[in-house]
Amino acid sequence: MDIHQGFLLTRQARDSRSGPQIELWLSTPQGPAQVLIEGQKPVFFVPTATKELVHSAAREAGLAITVNDVEMKSFDGQTLAAVYCNSIAAARQLNDKLISLDILVLEADIKLADRFLMERFIQGSLAVAGKSEVVNSGLPNQFLRITDAKCKAHDYQPNLNVVSLDIECSEKGVLYSIGLDSPKDSRVIMIGEPQACETPTQWVSDENPYCWPSMTGSKLSTQMLSLVGA
């Protein structure tokens, strides 16, 4: 198992076939890194006195949950229980149902990725242990992917770059061009037929990054992270 240090750039969570997945993008000494974390479940809190009502609401909605008593109290002194759901979508569905039943629900608004970071006191710098592989090796959008990841707070100080980004589109939202400027790369990505230009220009057929020669197998966001996080 490899250990890496990095600085958090973005975070999100989504449901996958195997359950909720947290995705972090880091700036590391090796360049941008994608960290994939499994096994985390959405959780919120309800008064202990409402546990049976919560179980009943979950059964009615066809949702599998786990409810555990915790040593926590609400601001008005009610003892609380933690409600764990098997997916982000299920947590949202159950939260809405409990609110409709006038059951107090606490911390349902804290996103799964944010709770993961908060519980580990990660504010930016972190250390990651997991299985690593290089994706798009040798290409401009090369990055490190770390799976089965375990994270903890760390004191790594990144050397970040700044990218100036300019997006031009019509009043109806039709994309015309994207301009990038940084010490590592300066270009305009333009949709249309190639023409002579004074500035470095990359011509593409449409707005789909998967169709761009330098973006094969990855999205524009990955190249942007390469510029910022390297």
Side-chain angles (χ1 to χ4, degrees):
M1 183 171 288
D2 301 321
I3 299 178
H4 301 272
Q5 57 182 353
F7 189 87
L8 182 66
L9 298 175
T10 69
R11 79 274 188 248
Q12 65 176 327
R14 55 179 170 265
D15 287 329
S16 67
R17 292 182 178 179
S18 59
Q21 181 186 75
I22 296 173
E23 179 186 40
L24 310 177
W25 280 95
L26 313 180
S27 170
T28 76
Q30 294 77 37
Q34 178 193 43
V35 179
L36 299 177
I37 302 159
E38 313 279 353
Q40 301 295 313
K41 290 187 176 183
V43 60
F44 53 75
F45 302 91
V46 298
T48 304
T50 65
K51 286 196 301 182
E52 290 305 318
L53 293 174
V54 172
H55 277 293
S56 177
R59 285 194 298 269
E60 185 176 325
L63 302 175
I65 63 171
T66 301
V67 181
N68 296 329
D69 292 334
V70 293
E71 295 183 0
M72 297 172 59
K73 291 186 178 182
S74 64
F75 285 120
D76 59 0
Q78 297 184 75
T79 57
L80 299 176
V83 180
Y84 294 88
C85 297
N86 291 335
S87 70
I88 298 171
R92 291 172 180 163
Q93 182 181 349
L94 182 58
N95 174 52
D96 291 342
K97 187 169 185 62
L98 296 181
I99 291 175
S100 71
L101 296 174
D102 201 26
I103 296 175
L104 176 66
V105 180
L106 299 173
E107 297 193 5
D109 58 329
I110 298 180
K111 297 179 180 179
L112 182 61
D114 292 338
R115 184 179 296 280
F116 176 86
L117 297 170
M118 291 164 54
E119 290 179 346
R120 289 156 181 79
F121 303 100
I122 297 173
Q123 300 177 0
S125 299
L126 67 159
V128 183
K131 301 176 183 177
S132 60
E133 63 173 327
V134 176
V135 180
N136 300 330
S137 179
L139 297 176
N141 54 353
Q142 174 180 309
F143 65 93
L144 184 68
R145 175 176 290 152
I146 305 172
T147 55
D148 295 334
K150 307 293 182 183
C151 303
K152 67 177 183 179
H154 194 50
D155 59 358
Y156 171 70
Q157 296 298 317
N159 182 22
L160 297 177
N161 296 306
V162 176
V163 179
S164 177
L165 175 66
D166 181 30
I167 300 176
E168 298 289 343
C169 60
S170 72
E171 61 182 8
K172 296 183 178 180
V174 178
L175 181 64
Y176 292 150
S177 65
I178 299 175
L180 305 172
D181 185 51
S182 77
K184 296 187 62 177
D185 193 0
S186 182
R187 77 172 86 173
V188 176
I189 303 173
M190 183 79 71
I191 296 176
E193 294 298 323
Q195 302 176 25
C197 300
E198 295 182 359
T199 58
T201 303
Q202 177 183 353
W203 292 92
V204 297
S205 58
D206 58 41
E207 69 277 6
N208 183 0
Y210 286 102
C211 297
W212 300 355
S214 66
M215 302 292 183
T216 303
S218 186
K219 295 182 179 179
L220 173 63
S221 58
T222 307
Q223 180 150 334
M224 288 295 298
L225 286 167
S226 298
L227 294 175
V228 176

